[in-house]
Amino acid sequence: MTTFPVGEQTHQAVLPQRPALESVGADTPGSRDETAHGLPATARDTGGEHGRGETGGRGTGARRRHAKSAATAAEAAENRSGDAPEHHRSYTGGVGASRVFVLARDGRPLMPCHPARARELLGRGRAVVARQVPFTIRLKDRALAGSEVGGVQLRIDPGSKGTGLVITDEKKEERRKGSTVIVRRGLIAVELQHRGDQIHLCMRQRAGYRRRRRSANCRYRAPRSHNRPRPAGWLPPSLRHRVETVLSLATRLCRYAPVSEVHVERAAFDTHSMSAGRPLSEADYGQGPLAGATARTHLRAKWNNACAYCDVSGVPLNIEHLRPRSRGGSDRVSNLVLACVPCNEAKGSTPVEAFLADRPDRLARILGQTKAPLHDAAAMNATRWQLTEALGTLGRPVHAWSGRRTKGNRSAMGLAKTHTLDALSVGRLNHERGDAIVRYPERVLVARATGRGSYARTTPDRFGFPRLRRARTKQHFGYVTGDLVRATMPSGKWAGTWTGRISVRARGQHSLATPRGRVNVSHRNLRLLQRGDGYGYGDRPEPAPSTSRKSG
């Protein structure tokens, strides 16, 4: 996954946002206008708006290059203060460019700014690029002591496959009738994609290699007792990875933005009720499918003492996994069927969809009696408390909210179902009073966990035997796999400038990932942009808001 989808030729393309339609006057050294967060916004109903988040003070007025055209309230929300009046008929939710992280001269975080302001600061030489992804600039003439910084909030919606993290700010606004409402704006959205499934697969593969070695070399060794203690709060590596990656990314966001508090959704899933498909009472929790029976007795009654694949009866029947364990299947009773010996041997580790591809009626009947796996729900139940405790080490107040409140806020605002929009909806919003989410970023930064390589020094074949020997060093000609680089190809089919992550080779011909495929690039034609941090970056658009909004 590359960071930028196309090659870059100009300095303006460093920022993955649209060019600004107007330029803004220079800032005064003693104001808060440095990062496009000036004085408190004018009340909505007064009609006063600021140009691109700037204050209406002296010397900071916007000089417009184009004539003012008719625009919807959502467009005006982005082009001006980022807030649109919710009572406007055409308002469906403000959608705008993602903000840019800003650091003071000493490296401490300031308020994020608009991309247009970041381009202006870079063009005038008042700032330098501190980090490419997420894009961060550092001011050369402003310290934290000379700036007034308002706090922002970090909102997290954890998930099993991915987690949404959003930087927001909230401010109070007054209406004509004198009432005060709270408006929430999404400044920066990040979607973290976990690799827990990959870790689980690697652990199972390593266990298989180890089991084969022990059975071949230590056939008569007595089995080891299961007496190894585990520390309190122990989690499997695939689950611990989810907690540690969320904490790592949250720590990084707190380093780039002035986060004052953390809001996290801590949802609990009733796996027993989900398995039954209906709400359960207290007595129902002790009456599962295996209550008073064994697994074989339950399967014999369920499949009428016949093979599930060929309906043969009166022969020895084996317990068969519909989804093989080698492909991630579990020993859950809903994943088990009865199969005769020929059918069991013929299916092997083949998926049931491929094994019964020529018999769609039987496949539909078998899949109709299965139940959805509960791996994701179990993973969330196992990590929700550990994640809250880990976030407490950030030194900010941590507030935990229920998933019901998040769903209510998202439905009331008419937002789509994504991890980032769920994270934007985490926390308290009084819809009866008029609190609302008035803006969210149109582009989401996607951070895919890739790891930092393997400790193995040999590459095994599919049977676990060493096939080739790996290099003892990970750095070659100054580059490590995962580094973000810019390649300048002077000639040939790939002539031009390309930006992406590389995979290093010992001979110096590194492999660069581009939107058109992978290309071999000499280390002499590379320029380092950012060291690899264990993540592959990309972006995606945020779904458009729904036209129908509920109240309350």
Side-chain angles (χ1 to χ4, degrees):
M1 183 179 295
T2 57
T3 305
F4 305 109
V6 296
E8 301 162 330
Q9 302 293 340
T10 61
H11 171 73
Q12 194 176 38
V14 173
L15 289 175
Q17 284 92 6
R18 298 191 302 267
L21 296 180
E22 62 264 353
S23 66
V24 187
D27 301 324
T28 56
S31 68
R32 281 185 62 190
D33 301 350
E34 186 70 50
T35 56
H37 283 264
L39 300 175
T42 311
R44 294 186 185 184
D45 300 331
T46 59
E49 292 284 342
H50 305 317
R52 283 200 181 272
E54 303 300 327
T55 63
R58 186 178 305 172
T60 60
R63 298 192 300 273
R64 301 189 178 276
R65 300 177 183 173
H66 304 281
K68 184 177 180 181
S69 59
T72 62
E75 293 174 349
E78 171 58 19
N79 293 335
R80 291 187 174 88
S81 68
D83 301 334
E86 65 168 353
H87 61 271
H88 198 283
R89 294 181 179 179
S90 62
Y91 172 68
T92 58
V95 183
S98 178
R99 296 306 195 238
V100 176
F101 291 112
V102 180
L103 302 179
R105 183 176 57 191
D106 54 358
R108 289 187 284 182
L110 300 177
M111 292 294 291
C113 73
H114 194 277
R117 172 50 60 87
R119 283 190 287 267
E120 181 183 7
L121 294 173
L122 291 171
R124 296 189 178 187
R126 297 183 54 192
V128 295
V129 177
R131 185 178 177 85
Q132 291 287 340
V133 186
F135 194 82
T136 308
I137 62 174
R138 179 176 58 83
L139 301 178
K140 299 192 296 184
D141 57 355
R142 175 64 60 86
L144 182 62
S147 306
E148 183 180 351
V149 179
V152 296
Q153 303 86 35
L154 174 60
R155 304 183 184 274
I156 304 175
D157 174 59
S160 176
K161 297 291 191 299
T163 297
L165 300 95
V166 177
I167 298 292
T168 64
D169 67 345
E170 291 184 344
K171 53 186 177 181
K172 297 181 180 180
E173 292 187 357
E174 294 184 0
R175 289 185 173 180
R176 293 178 179 176
K177 299 181 181 180
S179 60
T180 302
V181 299
I182 295 178
V183 295
R184 180 183 300 174
R185 300 190 306 170
L187 305 180
I188 300 170
V190 182
E191 179 180 342
L192 172 62
Q193 296 181 355
H194 304 296
R195 63 184 191 102
D197 293 341
Q198 179 185 356
I199 294 176
H200 178 69
L201 179 62
C202 291
M203 297 290 291
R204 289 179 60 91
Q205 187 181 46
R206 191 176 68 176
Y209 293 161
R210 184 171 59 250
R211 187 178 299 109
R212 186 206 62 81
R213 292 194 304 266
R214 287 177 177 173
S215 62
N217 303 327
C218 304
R219 181 179 301 177
Y220 301 106
R221 188 181 67 176
R224 181 170 55 181
S225 302
H226 294 281
N227 58 357
R228 290 168 288 177
R230 291 175 176 173
W234 178 88
L235 287 175
S238 58
L239 299 183
R240 188 173 70 249
H241 154 79
R242 294 178 172 91
V243 177
E244 293 178 350
T245 51
V246 173
L247 177 62
S248 174
L249 195 55
T251 303
R252 186 176 304 176
L253 294 178
C254 292
R255 190 162 59 244
Y256 300 150
V259 176
S260 59
E261 55 186 8
V262 180
H263 299 263
V264 59
E265 178 185 299
R266 189 170 62 194
F269 296 90
D270 190 349
T271 55
H272 198 164
S273 179
M274 294 171 62
S275 178
R278 58 183 177 86
L280 300 178
S281 61
E282 296 181 358
D284 294 335
Y285 283 99
Q287 300 297 323
L290 297 181
T294 62
R296 184 173 294 273
T297 304
H298 172 75
L299 293 175
R300 285 186 177 276
K302 181 178 180 179
W303 298 101
N304 197 20
N305 284 328
C307 175
Y309 300 136
C310 63
D311 288 336
V312 65
S313 59
V315 297
L317 300 175
N318 296 337
I319 296 181
E320 156 71 10
H321 292 75
L322 280 179
R323 185 181 182 186
R325 295 194 60 187
S326 61
R327 299 180 180 270
S330 65
D331 292 331
R332 189 180 172 199
V333 68
S334 61
N335 191 46
L336 303 178
V337 297
L338 291 180
C340 61
V341 176
C343 290
N344 192 8
E345 293 178 351
K347 179 177 178 296
S349 60
T350 307
V352 65
E353 292 82 4
F355 181 66
L356 298 178
D358 56 340
R359 292 174 284 176
D361 297 338
R362 184 175 299 275
L363 176 62
R365 182 173 66 88
I366 292 177
L367 294 181
Q369 301 190 37
T370 61
K371 297 180 180 179
L374 301 176
H375 297 94
D376 297 335
M380 295 303 300
N381 287 341
T383 58
R384 60 192 187 103
W385 291 103
Q386 283 83 349
L387 178 60
T388 306
E389 296 176 359
L391 293 174
T393 61
L394 297 175
R396 276 85 172 173
V398 179
H399 306 278
W401 305 93
S402 65
R404 184 186 298 271
R405 182 185 294 271
T406 300
K407 182 179 180 181
N409 293 339
R410 177 172 51 81
S411 301
M413 293 294 102
L415 300 177
K417 172 63 177 176
T418 64
H419 277 299
T420 49
L421 293 181
D422 273 352
L424 181 62
S425 305
V426 170
R428 181 184 292 109
L429 282 177
N430 191 342
H431 305 293
E432 298 180 356
R433 185 180 59 185
D435 298 350
I437 299 173
V438 298
R439 184 189 184 277
Y440 66 85
E442 62 181 354
R443 305 294 297 184
V444 176
L445 176 65
V446 179
R448 179 173 55 90
T450 59
R452 296 179 180 270
S454 173
Y455 292 102
R457 291 308 177 203
T458 57
T459 300
D461 57 12
R462 64 191 186 97
F463 300 105
F465 293 96
R467 184 172 59 89
L468 55 86
R469 190 178 297 273
R470 295 179 179 178
R472 289 293 187 252
T473 59
K474 291 187 177 183
Q475 184 174 1
H476 300 283
F477 298 93
Y479 297 97
V480 181
T481 297
D483 288 348
L484 180 66
V485 299
R486 178 169 297 160
T488 304
M489 305 292 289
S491 61
K493 175 184 175 182
W494 299 89
T497 303
W498 304 92
T499 303
R501 300 173 70 245
I502 61 169
S503 298
V504 299
R505 295 191 179 100
R507 65 178 183 270
Q509 286 289 334
H510 303 326
S511 178
L512 175 67
T514 68
R516 292 169 52 185
R518 302 195 72 90
V519 57
N520 294 333
V521 184
S522 173
H523 67 92
R524 299 182 182 88
N525 298 329
L526 298 178
R527 184 169 69 89
L528 181 65
L529 298 179
Q530 181 174 300
R531 285 295 183 187
D533 54 0
Y535 297 93
Y537 295 99
D539 64 341
R540 65 166 177 83
E542 196 73 89
S546 174
T547 57
S548 62
R549 295 180 60 198
K550 301 178 181 179
S551 58

